[in-house]
Amino acid sequence: MSVPAPVPHLRRSLRRFDIMAMGVAAVVSFDVIGQIAAGGGQALTWIAVLGMAFLLPYALLFAETGAAFPQEGGPYVWVDVAFGRLPAALTTMFYWVTNPFWLGGSLVFLAARAWHGFVFPLGSGTAADYAFKLVFIWAAILTAVVSLRRGKWITTAGAAAKVLALAFFTATAVAYGVHHGFRGLAEARFAPTTAGFLALVPVLLFAYVGFEAPNAAGDEMHDPQADVPVAIGVSGTVAAGCYLLPVAAILSAAPPGRITGIAGFMDAAELVFGIYGRWRGPLLTGVAVLFAVALLTQGSAWMIVADRMQAMAAADGGFFTRALGAFHPRLGTPVRMNLLSGVAATAFMLAAMHLAHGNASAVFGVVLSVAITTLLLSYLAVIPALLALRLRHPEVPRPYEVPFGTPGFTVAALLVYAWILLGSWVALFPGTLEAAIGVRYPFRAMWGVSRFTFETFTLSTVGLLLAVAAAGYVTQRVRTQSGDDQRQPRPPR
């Protein structure tokens, strides 16, 4: 079995706790909590359904594969070994670019909204607004540039801030409900509907994916064979709780229809923190700061892992020049790729600022949809690659195995793939399935922009990414006499 050449200058610094913290920091998404809660009572129903029907088989697949194939680059290596360098390069482009888009899109807009409302007024489109967003983006990039043995503590602090803020909010919402009654839950409709399902499925899939991300730093783990399955199990359980409980808390306190995607969490916090009297303002400010810090470290956690994946693709000859895949000899991080991510995030933020003429809610929804689309599209190759590795390389030791062996693995992979197909279509072409089954879908009311504007932005983004990925692959093929000159056979550890 041929895998990319090992990376020099790497130090083993990730232990089991670090992998779990990185998983929580990356996967628990503040920006989608409000978006999920906007779905009403049935959001809780679908969180539970997808937790069992998608998250569980998904976690089983990546727990086995991540322990069996722990090389640096994670999903890039898996797709490369299964299907070759070109599919791996295309897949990694979508996986990687999701994160600068996400950082420069929904994360920075959500952080700016919270900062403006509860810490310091920024305005919209002002110099202060631009300055905050630029500092936010480049602070996240710099935390990815520092060595992983130091950077892991930044993501761990972000995971702790995230769990602390969610726990404090949930406890406050319960106290608010005891005092004022749980009117929101009493008025919520938990019965699932087709329209609610199609609206929520891409967001929930986006919320649940990413537990394989720490495997991008596989050669920097002390014992991935033992630690990855446990870390995925624990972080998956924590993530499910961090979605279910806060969404239930938001719905219990807020009247139906009040929650919006961009302001859902902080609007609900503003409501329930009324029980603290004169301490309400300072506590809201503190939670808003925690909120912004958690968003920043969430972006940096993804940059740490996704930039490593794209750097491995470049070093392996799949993206323009191998120079982009260089890891800094002292820091052990792909600094050039980190800086490229920062430039891409900045460019996307500037484009998003002009997308909807200052309508922050519309910008938030559209750019989050772009991030959801690009990430889900990457799994269209990753999931089949996992199954191909299971079938073609039975000789590889598997410290952890999906229950029922190959049949169990196959069923889990097919189930997860069906969900990814559905989520990708709904994210890329919202409203089309509703129209096919006769469900009304007021597009402009849902998104704040016309269908033409939405599809132009999303489809042109996807087309541009495909073109850039293909150009990067072809350019590197032309630049080298042999596409395999940097590869060497190496059995997985």
Side-chain angles (χ1 to χ4, degrees), residues 19-360:
I19 301 170
M20 290 188 292
M22 186 175 290
V24 171
V27 174
V28 178
S29 305
F30 264 131
D31 58 329
V32 301
I33 288 178
Q35 200 83 348
I36 294 170
Q42 64 177 303
L44 294 176
T45 304
W46 292 120
I47 288 174
V49 169
L50 265 74
M52 295 301 298
F54 174 78
L55 177 59
L56 180 59
Y58 171 92
L60 292 174
L61 292 175
F62 284 103
E64 176 175 322
T65 306
F69 297 87
Q71 291 83 8
E72 190 83 3
Y76 170 76
V77 175
W78 305 337
V79 179
D80 185 24
V81 172
F83 302 132
R85 192 178 298 170
L86 177 58
L90 296 175
T91 297
T92 303
M93 167 60 87
F94 279 93
Y95 197 103
W96 164 69
V97 85
T98 293
N99 300 290
F101 282 5
W102 190 29
L103 177 64
S106 63
L107 291 184
V108 74
F109 276 84
L110 193 59
R113 176 69 174 261
W115 202 269
H116 170 76
F118 302 99
V119 181
F120 183 82
L122 300 173
S124 178
T126 64
D129 188 27
Y130 277 98
F132 177 89
K133 288 170 180 172
L134 287 171
V135 169
F136 183 94
I137 288 170
W138 285 98
I141 296 299
L142 290 177
T143 60
V145 168
V146 301
S147 65
L148 190 57
R149 63 191 179 91
R150 292 187 174 90
K152 69 179 183 180
W153 295 113
I154 299 173
T155 58
T156 298
K162 190 175 297 184
V163 173
L164 177 63
L166 291 174
F168 185 61
F169 167 77
T170 302
T172 302
V174 171
Y176 180 90
V178 170
H179 189 265
H180 296 282
F182 295 95
R183 292 175 296 176
L185 287 178
E187 299 175 20
R189 299 179 179 178
F190 297 98
T193 66
T194 302
F197 169 72
L198 292 176
L200 286 167
V201 66
V203 183
L204 286 172
L205 293 177
F206 182 75
Y208 277 147
V209 298
F211 294 104
E212 77 289 345
N215 263 101
D219 284 345
E220 298 166 83
M221 297 179 181
H222 281 276
D223 189 3
Q225 288 91 346
D227 293 342
V228 166
V230 176
I232 288 179
V234 173
S235 56
T237 303
V238 171
C242 284
Y243 286 123
L244 188 63
L245 295 178
V247 169
I250 290 173
L251 295 175
S252 72
R258 172 167 175 171
I259 301 303
T260 63
I262 189 169
F265 179 82
M266 290 307 301
D267 276 357
E270 187 176 20
L271 175 66
V272 300
F273 277 33
I275 67 171
Y276 294 121
R278 62 189 180 89
W279 289 98
R280 175 172 178 258
L283 286 172
L284 276 172
T285 299
V287 168
V289 171
L290 280 178
F291 187 69
V293 169
L295 290 171
L296 188 150
T297 56
Q298 183 174 338
S300 67
W302 274 102
M303 288 300 175
I304 287 171
V305 295
D307 286 352
R308 279 168 165 76
M309 281 180 57
Q310 188 67 4
M312 289 299 295
D316 196 39
F319 188 66
F320 288 108
T321 171
R322 287 190 169 91
L324 285 172
F327 280 66
H328 193 277
R330 182 172 58 85
L331 299 175
T333 55
V335 175
R336 292 170 182 168
M337 195 59 68
N338 295 144
L339 297 178
L340 182 60
S341 290
V343 172
T346 301
F348 193 75
M349 182 270 290
L350 296 174
M353 289 286 286
H354 295 89
L355 171 65
H357 307 292
N359 185 340

